Amino acid sequence: MALKLSDYKTEVHNDWCPGCGDFGIVNAIQMALAEMNIPRHKAAIFSGIGCSGKTSHFIHTFGIHTLHGRVLTFAQGAAISNPEMTIVAAGGDGDGLGIGAGHFVAAGRRNINMTYIIFNNGVYGLTKGQASPTLRLGEKTKSLPSPNTNYNVNPIGLAVASGFTFVARGYSYDVRHLKDLIIAAIKHKGLSFLDVLQPCPTYNDINTRDWYAGTDITDESAKETHSRIYKLEDTGYDPIVHYEEESEINEKLSQALIKSLEWGTKIPTGIFYKNEIITPYAERLMDKIPNYLENPPAKQKISSNGKPITDVSKILDSLQV
Amino acid sequence: MNTDLTWLIGGPQGSGVESGANIFSKVCAGIGYQVFGKREFYSNIKGEHSYFAVRISDKKIHSNVNDVHLMVAFDGETIFRHADEVVEGGAIIYDSDLEETKIDEVHTLDIYFKSRLEKYLESKNKEFSIKGILETAKERGVTLLPVSFREILSKLAEDTNNPKLKGMIRMFNVIGVSLSLGILGLDSKPLLDSIESIFSKKPKVAEINKQVANYAYNYATAKFDKINFSPNSVSKEPNTILVQGHQGTAIGKMVCGCRFQPYYPITPASDESVYLESNEILNVKEDRPGSTVVVQTEDEISAIGMMIGGALTGTRSSTCTSGPGFSLMAEALGWAGINEVPVVITNYQRSGPSTGLPTRHGQDDLLFAINAGHGEFPRIVYASGAIEESFYDTGKCFNFADIFQVPVIHLLDKFIASSVITCKRFDPEKVTIDRGKLLDKIKQKPYKRFEQTSDGISPRSKLGLEDGIFWNTGDESDEYGHISEDPYMRIQMMDKRLSRFDLILNQIPKEDQVVSFGMADHCIISWGSTKGPILDAIDMLKKENINVGFIQIKLLHPFPTEYVKSLLKDVKTIIDVEANHTGQLGILFKQNLGRDVDYFILKYTGRSMTSTEIYDSLKKILGNKAKKREILTHGA
């Protein structure tokens, strides 16, 4: 029986601020799950701490609201133990690129088959608007006592450099496009990263919905708006690594990195980089544990009538004197 | 004739001290001796002093003693550091080329030890050299057995027409072991067999080692008298294994169905994970092969996060670490607590605080294990006293975790981790697996992960289970697992989680909580690996018709207050034995029983206790000559 979009919603009251960009992301995740018709018990949303951390409570799948900065660790543990699950990790930019930056890099190296979505708004909303790692140097959002003294992290660039094999960016007010990106990310064989630009209406008075829409750079006389956001796929950009050759991989990597530096009046969205030639973690495990995927940790039988069935006699024989 | 002997081998780290000791232990265990060996080493890869003390006996032994009967040294530092441990009637085999070595020429001797050594030699009127220290040993009645290790190699090189042998100083360990076995009068065949099995994959290396062993063995038997030791007085007990500390829990984890172990490298814990990974594919009776997925993570925070993620899928999951790593796990431990996730953290303690003595022993983390993490949540802290015990306890810890849905901290330590012992072959038949209220199918809908039940424990679903969807959060939550800040819900949930302490104390069998080794007016209380030396010390006293009681407390949190109280009701003097400074079990006693400990026997040098020093302290206590705190110092 096909599930409806409403089946993926919970009745939990959503306490995000009116106009918050997070709503679009939750809707897009629910739409993606519904469109892919993923049974609800086969999916798990892991989340970090902060406004975005509440995401897992709004979606009717398994929902694991973890610790600040640690969402990837919990999610990867579940994904390794039960690779049949569709695992989506979600968290803020401070969560994933500040306190959790070490896990971000390490996750890229592993390339476990799952999806990581960062809600990127440049501020720590739930603690009243401090600068997040993606806020630019010298910018002063409204609750900062003085302009930001740190250079910003480039999430797309960091993901590409860390070994993520699917790297994309969405915009929370283009829900359909975002939904398509989430579907592509879930379908990707390996670790997917989605950087979602998500205006915080309460604390980020620089990168607002209007700012992304380009109202400040609109040519009044022409009576048209020039949205800052554009789609890479509309420009003929090809993010895919097609064959296993150093030159091909390097070209696609550097092209993604150069694109990730675009900001200001033109902000690219869409898929920056996709590489299915690099083996996912499960395949690497299968090199040493051939039946890992058919008999992963969560599926293994360990006892019969309360007694262990693991036979360690060979190991004990080797210790026998 | 002596039937209980301690053999010590020392040398620079990386020079084969450990493999030498392994060969010796294997040979002795193969003949039928009980073996208790322990390794001491610096936080260093190559060059610093490491040593292995192997005690062999015809009777069951649980610890090291202070006395060394036969020492083999192929470097100067070993002689400087250990010559005074060799007792009258004992012997020192040493490389005669070292005789002229001066204290100042041994660069790895630290200034503090050097100044103590010089003072000692000065008081004995000896020169500051190997010769000087050996003279003091000789005057005490120690036999000196000088052998030129290089000459052995050159002679053998000539005899076998293999000039390469001449410079193979990495053979020194095999020479030392072979000389030792010759002097002890033990057969050479087990020696050659064990070399063959150790190098089974490198037949050429095995051959050269065997040649060297044979030569050195014959050299010793021809040249030296046997020392006072009665060989071949033992018969091999069937089903004996020679096992290292980290293997007990590792094999325990395989048997009880732990299938996921993320970890971050740390001494002395990582050996366990490496061993698990080396044996990752598991034979399973009447089923396809299973596997333990071992993941090396980026830090301990990731290790505990992954472990919890694995446990949420229903997999028995674990990690192993030591103090500094466990400190990093504190926040996530609370998450496991509030979300009632069954996980087992194997914590091999070492000396803290901070990096402390990174490769040395300690029992400093008892109170931290009990209190780690902010807020109040249920957990179990459980300590094993020996390697054999740790195998069976590992299975119990996983059952406790599943039954009570709490994180379990299984406390072990460096002493256990780097010991090697003979014991009865582990019996997996004695292990039971109880997954508690883990569900395979959801019967009652809608499913509520934190449903209020009569015993406070809710049926547990797992990720992937149809109709078993749940939510988890580090926030306080309602029965579904959704965030709730309602004050009444808060009371319900706190009560639900924390009522578990009573349940744990009522349901864990008493004999698994506290082990009593007999009662007397004087009774020792202790926990963890001090058990071995305590048992041996009590045996020594028994031979003098002195009875001292001993209770080993295994369940340390929640504390079995009433049971311990009943056991100790007639005890007049309580003696707390622990490898830490503050007497942490004594603090727990005061807190839970309202009773002060009368004496402490404590050691915090980073070296494990010997039975000799516990015996000595007990004698002082029994003779009313002891201080309230007896501080032990033995060991280099």
Side-chain angles (χ1 to χ4, degrees), chain B residues 524-548:
Chain B
I524 296 170
I525 58 163
S526 194
W527 62 283
S529 68
T530 45
K531 172 187 159 185
I534 290 171
L535 288 179
D536 284 351
I538 289 176
D539 270 353
M540 289 159 80
L541 288 169
K542 262 195 197 130
K543 287 187 189 136
E544 301 168 22
N545 288 318
I546 301 171
N547 275 330
V548 170

PDB file of all heavy atoms in Angstrom, chain B residues 524-548:
ATOM      1  N   ILE B 524      39.228  -8.254  54.651  1.00  0.00           N
ATOM      2  CA  ILE B 524      39.615  -7.358  53.553  1.00  0.00           C
ATOM      3  C   ILE B 524      38.389  -7.085  52.702  1.00  0.00           C
ATOM      4  O   ILE B 524      37.612  -7.991  52.408  1.00  0.00           O
ATOM      5  CB  ILE B 524      40.703  -8.021  52.688  1.00  0.00           C
ATOM      6  CG1 ILE B 524      41.978  -8.232  53.506  1.00  0.00           C
ATOM      7  CG2 ILE B 524      40.981  -7.210  51.431  1.00  0.00           C
ATOM      8  CD1 ILE B 524      43.015  -9.085  52.802  1.00  0.00           C
ATOM      9  N   ILE B 525      38.229  -5.827  52.304  1.00  0.00           N
ATOM     10  CA  ILE B 525      37.257  -5.514  51.258  1.00  0.00           C
ATOM     11  C   ILE B 525      38.054  -4.991  50.075  1.00  0.00           C
ATOM     12  O   ILE B 525      39.041  -4.269  50.242  1.00  0.00           O
ATOM     13  CB  ILE B 525      36.217  -4.468  51.709  1.00  0.00           C
ATOM     14  CG1 ILE B 525      36.907  -3.167  52.145  1.00  0.00           C
ATOM     15  CG2 ILE B 525      35.348  -5.013  52.824  1.00  0.00           C
ATOM     16  CD1 ILE B 525      35.973  -1.975  52.201  1.00  0.00           C
ATOM     17  N   SER B 526      37.668  -5.411  48.886  1.00  0.00           N
ATOM     18  CA  SER B 526      38.376  -4.921  47.713  1.00  0.00           C
ATOM     19  C   SER B 526      37.532  -5.145  46.474  1.00  0.00           C
ATOM     20  O   SER B 526      36.442  -5.719  46.541  1.00  0.00           O
ATOM     21  CB  SER B 526      39.740  -5.614  47.581  1.00  0.00           C
ATOM     22  OG  SER B 526      40.531  -4.914  46.645  1.00  0.00           O
ATOM     23  N   TRP B 527      38.040  -4.675  45.341  1.00  0.00           N
ATOM     24  CA  TRP B 527      37.332  -4.831  44.062  1.00  0.00           C
ATOM     25  C   TRP B 527      38.382  -4.902  42.966  1.00  0.00           C
ATOM     26  O   TRP B 527      39.467  -4.338  43.100  1.00  0.00           O
ATOM     27  CB  TRP B 527      36.387  -3.640  43.825  1.00  0.00           C
ATOM     28  CG  TRP B 527      37.099  -2.312  43.735  1.00  0.00           C
ATOM     29  CD1 TRP B 527      37.591  -1.571  44.770  1.00  0.00           C
ATOM     30  CD2 TRP B 527      37.437  -1.589  42.543  1.00  0.00           C
ATOM     31  NE1 TRP B 527      38.188  -0.442  44.310  1.00  0.00           N
ATOM     32  CE2 TRP B 527      38.112  -0.411  42.952  1.00  0.00           C
ATOM     33  CE3 TRP B 527      37.214  -1.827  41.173  1.00  0.00           C
ATOM     34  CZ2 TRP B 527      38.583   0.538  42.029  1.00  0.00           C
ATOM     35  CZ3 TRP B 527      37.681  -0.874  40.267  1.00  0.00           C
ATOM     36  CH2 TRP B 527      38.345   0.294  40.699  1.00  0.00           C
ATOM     37  N   GLY B 528      38.056  -5.627  41.896  1.00  0.00           N
ATOM     38  CA  GLY B 528      38.950  -5.656  40.744  1.00  0.00           C
ATOM     39  C   GLY B 528      40.175  -6.517  40.948  1.00  0.00           C
ATOM     40  O   GLY B 528      40.181  -7.451  41.762  1.00  0.00           O
ATOM     41  N   SER B 529      41.238  -6.177  40.234  1.00  0.00           N
ATOM     42  CA  SER B 529      42.373  -7.090  40.064  1.00  0.00           C
ATOM     43  C   SER B 529      43.238  -7.255  41.300  1.00  0.00           C
ATOM     44  O   SER B 529      44.163  -8.065  41.295  1.00  0.00           O
ATOM     45  CB  SER B 529      43.249  -6.604  38.915  1.00  0.00           C
ATOM     46  OG  SER B 529      43.880  -5.389  39.285  1.00  0.00           O
ATOM     47  N   THR B 530      42.962  -6.527  42.384  1.00  0.00           N
ATOM     48  CA  THR B 530      43.690  -6.786  43.624  1.00  0.00           C
ATOM     49  C   THR B 530      43.332  -8.176  44.169  1.00  0.00           C
ATOM     50  O   THR B 530      44.018  -8.685  45.043  1.00  0.00           O
ATOM     51  CB  THR B 530      43.306  -5.741  44.689  1.00  0.00           C
ATOM     52  OG1 THR B 530      41.893  -5.610  44.657  1.00  0.00           O
ATOM     53  CG2 THR B 530      43.945  -4.398  44.419  1.00  0.00           C
ATOM     54  N   LYS B 531      42.264  -8.741  43.645  1.00  0.00           N
ATOM     55  CA  LYS B 531      41.803 -10.043  44.122  1.00  0.00           C
ATOM     56  C   LYS B 531      42.931 -11.087  44.135  1.00  0.00           C
ATOM     57  O   LYS B 531      43.114 -11.790  45.136  1.00  0.00           O
ATOM     58  CB  LYS B 531      40.660 -10.525  43.229  1.00  0.00           C
ATOM     59  CG  LYS B 531      40.226 -11.948  43.502  1.00  0.00           C
ATOM     60  CD  LYS B 531      39.211 -12.376  42.448  1.00  0.00           C
ATOM     61  CE  LYS B 531      39.123 -13.891  42.345  1.00  0.00           C
ATOM     62  NZ  LYS B 531      38.247 -14.313  41.248  1.00  0.00           N
ATOM     63  N   GLY B 532      43.675 -11.191  43.025  1.00  0.00           N
ATOM     64  CA  GLY B 532      44.713 -12.219  42.909  1.00  0.00           C
ATOM     65  C   GLY B 532      45.752 -12.132  44.018  1.00  0.00           C
ATOM     66  O   GLY B 532      45.923 -13.086  44.795  1.00  0.00           O
ATOM     67  N   PRO B 533      46.451 -10.992  44.137  1.00  0.00           N
ATOM     68  CA  PRO B 533      47.441 -10.892  45.199  1.00  0.00           C
ATOM     69  C   PRO B 533      46.844 -11.019  46.602  1.00  0.00           C
ATOM     70  O   PRO B 533      47.498 -11.542  47.507  1.00  0.00           O
ATOM     71  CB  PRO B 533      48.073  -9.507  44.998  1.00  0.00           C
ATOM     72  CG  PRO B 533      47.294  -8.819  43.935  1.00  0.00           C
ATOM     73  CD  PRO B 533      46.522  -9.853  43.198  1.00  0.00           C
ATOM     74  N   ILE B 534      45.581 -10.595  46.779  1.00  0.00           N
ATOM     75  CA  ILE B 534      44.954 -10.761  48.106  1.00  0.00           C
ATOM     76  C   ILE B 534      44.784 -12.248  48.413  1.00  0.00           C
ATOM     77  O   ILE B 534      45.136 -12.717  49.493  1.00  0.00           O
ATOM     78  CB  ILE B 534      43.579 -10.038  48.163  1.00  0.00           C
ATOM     79  CG1 ILE B 534      43.769  -8.522  48.141  1.00  0.00           C
ATOM     80  CG2 ILE B 534      42.802 -10.463  49.410  1.00  0.00           C
ATOM     81  CD1 ILE B 534      42.477  -7.734  47.972  1.00  0.00           C
ATOM     82  N   LEU B 535      44.266 -13.001  47.445  1.00  0.00           N
ATOM     83  CA  LEU B 535      44.057 -14.438  47.675  1.00  0.00           C
ATOM     84  C   LEU B 535      45.373 -15.129  48.010  1.00  0.00           C
ATOM     85  O   LEU B 535      45.439 -15.968  48.918  1.00  0.00           O
ATOM     86  CB  LEU B 535      43.419 -15.084  46.443  1.00  0.00           C
ATOM     87  CG  LEU B 535      41.952 -14.750  46.187  1.00  0.00           C
ATOM     88  CD1 LEU B 535      41.467 -15.432  44.920  1.00  0.00           C
ATOM     89  CD2 LEU B 535      41.084 -15.161  47.380  1.00  0.00           C
ATOM     90  N   ASP B 536      46.431 -14.770  47.276  1.00  0.00           N
ATOM     91  CA  ASP B 536      47.722 -15.412  47.544  1.00  0.00           C
ATOM     92  C   ASP B 536      48.268 -15.000  48.917  1.00  0.00           C
ATOM     93  O   ASP B 536      48.865 -15.817  49.622  1.00  0.00           O
ATOM     94  CB  ASP B 536      48.728 -15.067  46.438  1.00  0.00           C
ATOM     95  CG  ASP B 536      48.458 -15.872  45.163  1.00  0.00           C
ATOM     96  OD1 ASP B 536      47.621 -16.793  45.212  1.00  0.00           O
ATOM     97  OD2 ASP B 536      49.088 -15.581  44.125  1.00  0.00           O
ATOM     98  N   ALA B 537      48.050 -13.742  49.299  1.00  0.00           N
ATOM     99  CA  ALA B 537      48.522 -13.284  50.605  1.00  0.00           C
ATOM    100  C   ALA B 537      47.767 -14.013  51.725  1.00  0.00           C
ATOM    101  O   ALA B 537      48.355 -14.418  52.729  1.00  0.00           O
ATOM    102  CB  ALA B 537      48.337 -11.777  50.737  1.00  0.00           C
ATOM    103  N   ILE B 538      46.454 -14.190  51.523  1.00  0.00           N
ATOM    104  CA  ILE B 538      45.653 -14.902  52.523  1.00  0.00           C
ATOM    105  C   ILE B 538      46.144 -16.345  52.663  1.00  0.00           C
ATOM    106  O   ILE B 538      46.232 -16.886  53.765  1.00  0.00           O
ATOM    107  CB  ILE B 538      44.147 -14.850  52.146  1.00  0.00           C
ATOM    108  CG1 ILE B 538      43.621 -13.428  52.357  1.00  0.00           C
ATOM    109  CG2 ILE B 538      43.338 -15.843  52.966  1.00  0.00           C
ATOM    110  CD1 ILE B 538      42.186 -13.225  51.926  1.00  0.00           C
ATOM    111  N   ASP B 539      46.495 -16.952  51.526  1.00  0.00           N
ATOM    112  CA  ASP B 539      47.049 -18.314  51.558  1.00  0.00           C
ATOM    113  C   ASP B 539      48.347 -18.375  52.355  1.00  0.00           C
ATOM    114  O   ASP B 539      48.595 -19.319  53.099  1.00  0.00           O
ATOM    115  CB  ASP B 539      47.327 -18.794  50.132  1.00  0.00           C
ATOM    116  CG  ASP B 539      46.122 -19.503  49.537  1.00  0.00           C
ATOM    117  OD1 ASP B 539      45.145 -19.715  50.284  1.00  0.00           O
ATOM    118  OD2 ASP B 539      46.180 -19.845  48.340  1.00  0.00           O
ATOM    119  N   MET B 540      49.184 -17.362  52.159  1.00  0.00           N
ATOM    120  CA  MET B 540      50.453 -17.323  52.898  1.00  0.00           C
ATOM    121  C   MET B 540      50.179 -17.263  54.411  1.00  0.00           C
ATOM    122  O   MET B 540      50.847 -17.918  55.205  1.00  0.00           O
ATOM    123  CB  MET B 540      51.288 -16.108  52.461  1.00  0.00           C
ATOM    124  CG  MET B 540      51.858 -16.234  51.053  1.00  0.00           C
ATOM    125  SD  MET B 540      52.295 -14.629  50.301  1.00  0.00           S
ATOM    126  CE  MET B 540      53.871 -14.313  51.060  1.00  0.00           C
ATOM    127  N   LEU B 541      49.162 -16.464  54.786  1.00  0.00           N
ATOM    128  CA  LEU B 541      48.828 -16.348  56.212  1.00  0.00           C
ATOM    129  C   LEU B 541      48.246 -17.653  56.750  1.00  0.00           C
ATOM    130  O   LEU B 541      48.493 -18.035  57.884  1.00  0.00           O
ATOM    131  CB  LEU B 541      47.835 -15.196  56.431  1.00  0.00           C
ATOM    132  CG  LEU B 541      48.415 -13.791  56.280  1.00  0.00           C
ATOM    133  CD1 LEU B 541      47.292 -12.759  56.256  1.00  0.00           C
ATOM    134  CD2 LEU B 541      49.392 -13.480  57.408  1.00  0.00           C
ATOM    135  N   LYS B 542      47.460 -18.314  55.894  1.00  0.00           N
ATOM    136  CA  LYS B 542      46.838 -19.582  56.317  1.00  0.00           C
ATOM    137  C   LYS B 542      47.892 -20.589  56.732  1.00  0.00           C
ATOM    138  O   LYS B 542      47.695 -21.373  57.658  1.00  0.00           O
ATOM    139  CB  LYS B 542      45.991 -20.148  55.177  1.00  0.00           C
ATOM    140  CG  LYS B 542      44.535 -19.804  55.335  1.00  0.00           C
ATOM    141  CD  LYS B 542      43.633 -20.620  54.452  1.00  0.00           C
ATOM    142  CE  LYS B 542      42.280 -19.912  54.379  1.00  0.00           C
ATOM    143  NZ  LYS B 542      41.815 -19.740  53.022  1.00  0.00           N
ATOM    144  N   LYS B 543      49.013 -20.571  56.007  1.00  0.00           N
ATOM    145  CA  LYS B 543      50.099 -21.503  56.343  1.00  0.00           C
ATOM    146  C   LYS B 543      50.626 -21.233  57.741  1.00  0.00           C
ATOM    147  O   LYS B 543      51.266 -22.097  58.344  1.00  0.00           O
ATOM    148  CB  LYS B 543      51.211 -21.390  55.308  1.00  0.00           C
ATOM    149  CG  LYS B 543      50.821 -22.013  53.991  1.00  0.00           C
ATOM    150  CD  LYS B 543      51.959 -22.066  53.005  1.00  0.00           C
ATOM    151  CE  LYS B 543      51.415 -22.487  51.639  1.00  0.00           C
ATOM    152  NZ  LYS B 543      51.954 -21.711  50.547  1.00  0.00           N
ATOM    153  N   GLU B 544      50.383 -20.032  58.237  1.00  0.00           N
ATOM    154  CA  GLU B 544      50.800 -19.700  59.611  1.00  0.00           C
ATOM    155  C   GLU B 544      49.600 -19.783  60.559  1.00  0.00           C
ATOM    156  O   GLU B 544      49.627 -19.230  61.666  1.00  0.00           O
ATOM    157  CB  GLU B 544      51.385 -18.279  59.651  1.00  0.00           C
ATOM    158  CG  GLU B 544      52.593 -18.109  58.741  1.00  0.00           C
ATOM    159  CD  GLU B 544      52.999 -16.640  58.565  1.00  0.00           C
ATOM    160  OE1 GLU B 544      52.651 -15.809  59.422  1.00  0.00           O
ATOM    161  OE2 GLU B 544      53.636 -16.340  57.546  1.00  0.00           O
ATOM    162  N   ASN B 545      48.554 -20.439  60.084  1.00  0.00           N
ATOM    163  CA  ASN B 545      47.321 -20.575  60.864  1.00  0.00           C
ATOM    164  C   ASN B 545      46.670 -19.242  61.230  1.00  0.00           C
ATOM    165  O   ASN B 545      46.070 -19.099  62.286  1.00  0.00           O
ATOM    166  CB  ASN B 545      47.552 -21.385  62.141  1.00  0.00           C
ATOM    167  CG  ASN B 545      47.761 -22.844  61.805  1.00  0.00           C
ATOM    168  OD1 ASN B 545      47.060 -23.382  60.946  1.00  0.00           O
ATOM    169  ND2 ASN B 545      48.748 -23.459  62.437  1.00  0.00           N
ATOM    170  N   ILE B 546      46.835 -18.277  60.351  1.00  0.00           N
ATOM    171  CA  ILE B 546      46.165 -16.990  60.576  1.00  0.00           C
ATOM    172  C   ILE B 546      45.052 -16.858  59.530  1.00  0.00           C
ATOM    173  O   ILE B 546      45.295 -17.044  58.337  1.00  0.00           O
ATOM    174  CB  ILE B 546      47.148 -15.813  60.419  1.00  0.00           C
ATOM    175  CG1 ILE B 546      48.303 -15.966  61.407  1.00  0.00           C
ATOM    176  CG2 ILE B 546      46.428 -14.478  60.597  1.00  0.00           C
ATOM    177  CD1 ILE B 546      49.431 -14.982  61.173  1.00  0.00           C
ATOM    178  N   ASN B 547      43.852 -16.558  59.997  1.00  0.00           N
ATOM    179  CA  ASN B 547      42.733 -16.389  59.062  1.00  0.00           C
ATOM    180  C   ASN B 547      42.384 -14.923  58.887  1.00  0.00           C
ATOM    181  O   ASN B 547      42.182 -14.210  59.861  1.00  0.00           O
ATOM    182  CB  ASN B 547      41.498 -17.120  59.594  1.00  0.00           C
ATOM    183  CG  ASN B 547      41.527 -18.582  59.185  1.00  0.00           C
ATOM    184  OD1 ASN B 547      42.076 -18.916  58.130  1.00  0.00           O
ATOM    185  ND2 ASN B 547      40.967 -19.436  60.020  1.00  0.00           N
ATOM    186  N   VAL B 548      42.353 -14.527  57.653  1.00  0.00           N
ATOM    187  CA  VAL B 548      41.863 -13.183  57.330  1.00  0.00           C
ATOM    188  C   VAL B 548      40.739 -13.355  56.315  1.00  0.00           C
ATOM    189  O   VAL B 548      40.868 -14.143  55.365  1.00  0.00           O
ATOM    190  CB  VAL B 548      42.995 -12.307  56.752  1.00  0.00           C
ATOM    191  CG1 VAL B 548      42.439 -11.005  56.191  1.00  0.00           C
ATOM    192  CG2 VAL B 548      44.036 -11.990  57.815  1.00  0.00           C
TER     193      VAL B 548
END
